[in-house]
Structures are given as structure tokens and as C-alpha cells.
Amino acid sequence: MRKKLFIKNVMIMSFSALLIRCIGMLFAVKTAGIMGAEMLGRFRLVLCVYALFLLTSTSGTGITVTRIAGDLFACRKDAQACFVRDRAAGFSFLLGTAAGLLMLCTSFFLPGDLFSGGAANAVRILALSLPFAAFSSSMRGYFTAKRKILRNSIEQLIEQLAEIAVFLFICPYSYKLGISPLFCAAAATCCAEIISFFYSAALLFIDKRNNLRPVKMQGLFSAALPVLLPCTASSTLRSALSLIENCLIPAGLIRAASHGGQAMADYGIISGMALPWIMFPSVFIIPASQLIVPEMSGARKLGQKNSIAHMSHRLIRAALIYSLIAMLPFLIFPYELAGLLGYPQRAGFFMRVLALLIPLSFLDSIADGMLKGLDCQKSYFRINMIESVLRIIMALTLVPLFGAAGAAALILLGELVNVTLSMWKLLSVCRISTPCPAK
């Protein structure tokens, strides 16, 4: 493992992600003020539908390119990595197009009580962005394998700024044009993905001009399928189950509260106000969980078992210490934070309750990244399946009985099961039950 380069890339990604996330959170506060809690809840449902088709077209291709190209770079086969890059670019765009068409057709069959107020039209607009998002994802996977992290960070910053600019430009005219703020938010996301696509295409052109002529990789299809299929199936199935869960939660809240507007407002407060801020500190963990994939994959390819165990132990310990520190403000000052953001006091209550999610989600992110790098896609798939099914069962039982408190319990218990199973699998693979001596 190239330790200095890894730390440098983590710092680049962390700083850029912090900047992007700060901009995004300020934008989220502005969006919540424009939409209100009820409409914000409907928009979160729209994003769940979008996530299903987005992850279907991006999650498998991105990680496959990172894994295969990372292995080729580790073995000094750069020309074959360029061949993988070109094939992934074309395949991802076709896959994104197919996912977009399917999402467009699905939008006509969404339940009207949950996807009213322009929500269905927002889904149709977002479907147009999928080919562009899939292409960009495959290019990010390639440059992650190449350790060119700054390019990916710039792309994400451009995408974030473009989304904000388009939304703030369109939204003042929404009522004059007779369109919903949901439609404006979806249009902004779509435009941002198109701009990101052109940036990725420019990077591809530059990389093709500056690098070796691609050399065909024999057995690319057989090498890609064991990574592509489990990751895509896992993300698709987990997103589908997540969508079912996120539809069942407001439906259960409606039965518990006997008032559709208040139920959707509670859902908006939990998913659109409390959770985004609870997950904000993960801006420093997600880069490490992404960058560890090619490092683990390369170490596994070269048979460096001690290096794998050492990396795993260090990352888990760092994630645990940081997460416990990041959790404290939400436990001590939740209501002050909610008031500062202009949120209702109920958002502060859920921030305090869901603060326990921080250490769980951090450990889960690190474990998932390492399992992907260690070729444990099947275990990753099974763990996510177990969690998703359990969350649906709790959405059918806890939420109608206990309302919003049941929804919060569902989120915490589901993450607890996931991280427990992921850590058990990781420990069994890496044999890191005891600290490993530093090299």
C-alpha cells in the first residue's frame, strides 16, 4: 500500500467532500424552507425512487471498473486498464439509458396518495439524467483506481454548484409557471448530471490523448461479472427494499396519526432534516471507505495478508474514535442546532435519538469498502438483504404501533444488524480480532 499517496488522496477527498457537503447542507436548509416539511417528505420519496434506478445503473459499474483497473495498475498493465476504461464508458451509458426508460415507465404506476403534488412528474424528470449519471460514475471508478482523486472531487463540486444554481434560478418562477418546487428540484438535479457528464467526457478525452493505446484485455467479461452482478444485484435489491420501506413508513405514520399531512411532515422531518445532519460527519469517513477498495484489492492480488490486516485495524479504530467524538454535539445540543437551522423543535428530538446512528454508520461504511476490496461481494449482498428484509418487517409492525418513534427505532436497529454482520465477516476474513503491529 502506498501510504503517503493514500493519505494524500483521503485528505483531498475529505476536504472537497467537506466543502461540497457544507454547500449541500446550506442548500438543504434553503430547500426545506421553500418546500416545508410535508413537501420535503414527498421529495425524499422521489429520491428513493431515483436511488433505486440510479444505483442499478451506477453501483456495479463503478466498483467493477475500480476493482479491475486497480488490479491492472497494480500489475503495471496500464494499457489494458485503458481498454477497461473505454468499454466501461460505453456499457455504463447504455445501462443508464435502459434504467432511465424503465424508471420513466414506472412513474405512471406510483401510488397517488404518496406521490401527489408534482412528485410523479419529478420522477419522470430525474429519469432523463440516468444515462449521464451512469457514464460519470464509471469514469469516477476509473480515476479512483488510477488514484487521480482531485478530478473526481472537482466533478462533484461542479455538479453540486450547478444543481444549486439551476434550482435557485428556476424556483422563483415556479408558481408563475404553475409547476411544483419538486419539479424544480428534479430539473436542477437533471441539469447538474448533464453538466457532470460533459466534464467526465472531457476527462476521458484528455486521458485517451495522454496515455497508452488501449490493449485488449482477455477475459474482461468473465473478470467483470463476479464483481458487477453481485454489486449491482445487491444495490438494486437493497434500493428496492429501501423504497418499499420508505413507502411503508409514511403509510404507517398515516395509520398511527390518522392525518396524512402530519404523517408526511413527520417523515420529512426525520428523513429530510434530522438524518442529513446526522450523516454530515461521515464526510470524513466516506472517502476512506471508497479509496480503500483499490488498496485492498491490490494487496489481495499481491498476497499481502499482513498489510490487509494492518490497514483494516487502523481504519476501524480511527472510524470508531472519530464517530464517538462526532456524536457528542447531537446528544448535547440537538434543540439548539435545530433552532439555529430554522427547523422545528421536533427535528432536535430526532437528532438526539438518531445520534446513535453515527458510530454504526461509520463502521458500516468502512467494513463495506473493505469487503468490496477483498472480493466478498456475495457476503455484502447477503448482509444487505438481511437488513432490508428486517427493516421492512419493522416498518409493517413498529411504525403503525409507535408512529415516528417506531420509524427512528427501525433506522437504528437496521443499521445495528448490518454493522454487526459486516464486522463479523470482516474480522473472519482479515483475522484482526487482535491489534496488528504497525509496519
Side-chain angles (χ1 to χ4, degrees), residues 260-279:
Q262 181 59 46
M264 191 59 71
D266 282 343
Y267 178 72
I269 289 172
I270 293 174
S271 62
M273 297 181 183
L275 269 179
W277 282 99
I278 288 294
M279 300 310 298

Side-chain angles (χ1 to χ4, degrees), residues 161-241:
L161 293 175
E163 181 179 7
I164 294 172
V166 173
F167 179 80
L168 294 179
F169 177 76
I170 297 176
C171 204
Y173 303 99
S174 60
Y175 293 104
K176 294 181 181 178
L177 298 174
I179 58 177
S180 168
L182 292 177
F183 186 92
C184 296
T189 301
C190 186
C191 291
E193 291 291 357
I194 293 174
I195 293 171
S196 179
F197 163 79
F198 283 112
Y199 177 83
S200 297
L203 290 181
L204 173 60
F205 175 78
I206 294 171
D207 196 71
K208 287 172 69 71
R209 188 181 62 183
N210 295 340
N211 280 283
L212 301 171
R213 183 183 182 88
V215 174
K216 184 176 181 180
M217 175 187 172
Q218 299 296 332
L220 173 59
F221 185 75
S222 58
L225 280 184
V227 182
L228 177 65
L229 291 182
C231 288
T232 300
S234 175
S235 296
T236 301
L237 188 55
R238 189 179 186 185
S239 299
L241 295 174

